[in-house]
Amino acid sequence: MLLVPQCIDLLKGLLEHGRLTLKQMFDRVNSAVREGKSFVVNTLNRKLVTLDSVQETLIKLVTARYVERCPAPEPVLAPPPPKDNASTQKRGAKTQQIEEPKTREQEVLEAAVPVEAIRFSVITNTEPDVDGEKKEIKSSTVTAREKRKYDALESDEFGAAETVVYRANFEEFIRRLRHKACVDSVRARLDDGAATVLSAMLDATRNAETEVKTKKSGPSAASFGGGLLLTFFWFCLVGLLVHPLLASPSLGVLGSVKARYVSLSMSSIYEEVIKNEAGRNMTLEHLRASLAELSNPPVVKGSDDSYSIDFEKIIELAHTDEVESVVLKRYGRDAYRIFRLLSKEGRLMETEKIADATFVGKKDAPKVLYKLWKDDYLHMEKLVVAAARQMQFLLWKVKKETLWKHVLDEMFHAALNLRIRQATEVDKEKELLLLPAEKRTGALHDRNNRLRNVKILIQSSLVKLDDSIMLFYDF
């Protein structure tokens, strides 16, 4: 556990400076130790940290994918292949629609990103040993094909530990926060048992996730290899780092993960559930009941003793819950019932049918619907029926994709307004803030307390807004 505070120190440096070499991390940590600003336990006696200790910490961070190597600054692009008119003409129209040529920017970005074995690996000692061979410590296992690529680049910019540049891997943090949001959403909708089962399934399938916005965890014909991750994901930065399993050697399988999706059997889910403290006393019958709960709505899909997670459905339900809470607070109970009905139905409904289904007065329902439509929370269509006399009906619907973008835009504006309000409050009291604390007495003391309370309220509101923005923007 002595290395855990160093993990915080290294990540703090990477977040502050963007990217650092191993030597720069070593210098920065020891500088913080001398000044007494380090999280390292040795700060108490101001004992400097060794390079080996920093290297070992970096290996653990890279192994857990919290840190990665920076892309190549000058990627080498292969010359474009010559255009073959004859072969192009032989291709069918269907093939031409599927194959879209990549832009030069896309080719540069793809060429700059190292292969997985290099992206998440560390060479900690490039000095030759007594046998004339290099000693290497890698944070991930390397396949034979990737090893050839690794050796080819080893003598270049990736070859020396002093020149390799590292940065924080934000994708991994967002992925784990996305998992946390999924578990929290299921816990709020169902119960702790269902959340525990989903948490265990997420732990077991995290190896197979190659994208942050993975839609589904399975199914796949490929077998799931490389072991199971045992890391918890419901903590944020410090919580993720201080967990003792961060140092587990089982995390070393990350470097050999391929782009694949997996499904889990009942027995594999149960084995993963009982490893966690929350599911240690869960029985197989309780597990079956929780999986049944998770299948309605189908956030977990199962068939033939094979279960997979539907991330897309979980995030959609979380979006709906968030918007429904906004509608309830802003427009009241009647608007909430109407919006909830239209959200569940997912189709156009006529005004009178909406009023009957939600028990809202037929005089009040059109007013509520019009207000929601005016604020872009509902979509409206007019239906004109030509009979003995012409009649017009108003049809209403929730268009979720459009609405999610609108709500996200409102959140961005709300965050901006809060920051402007905070800056205005501080600017109004700038003379007060210049006074020493002992002189802020009487009325000045009351003004200082008011400013502090306003700042606390705005900061807490911004934190909640950040969570909501991440739900709609990043997840």
Side-chain angles (χ1 to χ4, degrees):
M1 295 296 294
L2 187 62
L3 294 175
V4 172
Q6 292 186 24
C7 293
I8 301 173
D9 268 343
L10 292 192
L11 259 178
K12 182 181 177 183
L14 290 171
L15 293 174
E16 288 179 354
H17 300 283
R19 54 187 65 192
L20 293 171
T21 63
L22 177 61
K23 181 67 166 57
Q24 290 171 331
M25 295 180 205
F26 172 71
D27 293 339
R28 184 189 173 281
V29 169
N30 280 321
S31 176
V33 170
R34 293 189 192 95
E35 297 173 6
K37 298 179 181 180
S38 174
F39 286 103
V40 181
V41 178
N42 287 345
T43 303
L44 296 175
N45 53 15
R46 302 294 175 88
K47 184 179 179 181
L48 298 183
V49 180
T50 64
L51 180 60
D52 289 341
S53 176
V54 176
Q55 288 174 345
E56 189 174 350
T57 304
L58 178 62
I59 290 173
K60 296 182 185 298
L61 288 171
V62 174
T63 300
R65 293 197 169 192
Y66 297 131
V67 173
E68 64 179 352
R69 289 192 180 194
C70 292
E74 296 180 1
V76 179
L77 294 180
K83 295 182 179 179
D84 190 349
N85 295 330
S87 62
T88 304
Q89 292 175 359
K90 292 180 182 179
R91 295 176 183 173
K94 187 176 181 180
T95 306
Q96 289 180 357
Q97 291 177 358
I98 296 175
E99 295 181 0
E100 295 182 359
K102 295 180 180 179
T103 63
R104 197 65 173 170
E105 290 77 8
Q106 290 175 330
E107 292 177 351
V108 170
L109 290 174
E110 289 182 2
V113 176
V115 294
E116 291 290 294
I118 298 174
R119 183 183 174 192
F120 298 108
S121 65
V122 181
I123 300 177
T124 59
N125 187 6
T126 56
E127 295 297 327
D129 59 8
V130 292
D131 298 325
E133 297 179 352
K134 289 182 180 180
K135 294 179 181 178
E136 298 178 2
I137 302 178
K138 299 184 179 66
S139 64
S140 59
T141 56
V142 185
T143 62
R145 184 167 60 88
E146 291 174 332
K147 182 66 168 66
R148 289 194 294 271
K149 294 181 180 180
Y150 188 91
D151 293 337
L153 291 171
E154 190 180 37
S155 60
D156 193 22
E157 60 182 309
F158 292 105
E162 293 81 4
T163 59
V164 176
V165 185
Y166 298 90
R167 67 181 182 183
N169 182 17
F170 290 100
E171 286 185 3
E172 184 64 23
F173 287 104
I174 293 175
R175 179 181 291 109
R176 292 174 183 256
L177 291 173
R178 185 180 190 235
H179 288 182
K180 176 183 180 297
C182 290
V183 175
D184 291 343
S185 176
V186 167
R187 179 177 286 109
R189 280 181 163 268
L190 301 176
D191 55 25
D192 290 338
T196 300
V197 172
L198 179 66
S199 172
M201 293 181 69
L202 288 169
D203 282 343
T205 58
R206 188 179 294 136
N207 269 353
E209 291 186 39
T210 56
E211 298 177 355
V212 173
K213 294 187 178 181
T214 301
K215 293 185 178 181
K216 292 178 176 62
S217 68
S220 173
S223 61
F224 177 60
L228 301 175
L229 282 181
L230 303 177
T231 51
F232 290 103
F233 49 80
W234 50 80
F235 304 105
C236 289
L237 176 61
V238 176
L240 289 168
L241 292 175
V242 300
H243 198 276
L245 291 176
L246 177 65
S248 173
S250 63
L251 294 175
V253 303
L254 286 169
S256 60
V257 171
K258 302 297 180 184
R260 58 175 177 258
Y261 298 123
V262 296
S263 54
L264 299 171
S265 65
M266 177 78 73
S267 59
S268 60
I269 295 174
Y270 185 67
E271 289 176 3
E272 193 67 24
V273 166
I274 60 177
K275 291 177 183 177
N276 295 331
E277 185 177 355
R280 196 161 294 163
N281 298 323
M282 183 176 289
T283 63
L284 199 58
E285 289 73 17
H286 190 181
L287 174 61
R288 289 194 182 95
S290 296
L291 288 172
E293 282 185 304
L294 290 168
S295 63
N296 187 26
V299 297
V300 170
K301 297 181 178 180
S303 62
D304 299 329
D305 195 36
S306 179
Y307 299 87
S308 60
I309 304 169
D310 191 342
F311 287 100
E312 198 171 20
K313 185 64 177 179
I314 299 174
I315 298 301
E316 180 189 342
L317 292 172
H319 286 171
T320 304
D321 290 343
E322 186 72 22
V323 178
E324 285 178 358
S325 68
V326 172
V327 171
L328 177 61
K329 293 176 183 176
R330 188 180 297 180
Y331 302 102
R333 179 67 58 178
D334 289 346
Y336 168 76
R337 287 202 297 266
I338 290 174
F339 181 85
R340 186 176 177 84
L341 171 68
L342 292 173
S343 178
K344 284 186 173 182
E345 291 294 329
R347 59 183 176 86
L348 290 167
M349 292 187 68
E350 198 267 329
T351 306
E352 287 190 7
K353 290 184 178 180
I354 294 173
D356 292 338
T358 56
F359 302 102
V360 177
K362 292 189 177 181
K363 290 184 178 180
D364 296 331
K367 297 177 183 178
V368 175
L369 287 165
Y370 180 76
K371 193 171 185 180
L372 289 171
W373 169 76
K374 187 179 179 181
D375 291 345
D376 295 325
Y377 277 78
L378 292 181
H379 170 72
M380 180 185 68
E381 291 184 12
K382 294 181 180 180
L383 178 63
V384 178
V385 178
R389 61 187 183 89
Q390 188 172 341
M391 300 179 64
Q392 177 176 286
F393 297 93
L394 296 180
L395 306 178
W396 310 87
K397 179 183 178 181
V398 173
K399 281 192 171 182
K400 291 185 177 181
E401 292 299 324
T402 305
L403 179 58
W404 298 164
K405 294 178 182 178
H406 172 69
V407 171
L408 179 61
D409 187 60
E410 284 188 336
M411 290 177 181
F412 281 133
H413 279 88
L416 175 62
N417 291 336
L418 284 173
R419 293 193 180 279
I420 292 174
R421 172 68 185 276
Q422 183 178 7
T424 303
E425 293 289 342
V426 172
D427 187 63
K428 279 198 314 184
E429 303 292 352
K430 59 183 180 181
E431 294 181 358
L432 173 67
L433 295 175
L434 293 175
L435 293 174
E438 59 272 10
K439 291 187 178 181
R440 300 174 192 172
T441 57
L444 296 179
H445 180 70
D446 294 339
R447 285 169 56 190
N448 185 68
N449 286 340
R450 176 193 168 277
L451 178 61
R452 186 183 69 241
N453 293 335
V454 167
K455 289 172 68 175
I456 292 173
L457 180 61
I458 291 176
Q459 288 296 333
S460 62
S461 300
L462 282 171
V463 169
K464 293 178 182 178
L465 261 178
D466 284 341
D467 291 340
S468 300
I469 288 172
M470 181 169 282
L471 176 64
F472 283 85
Y473 185 77
D474 294 299
F475 300 163

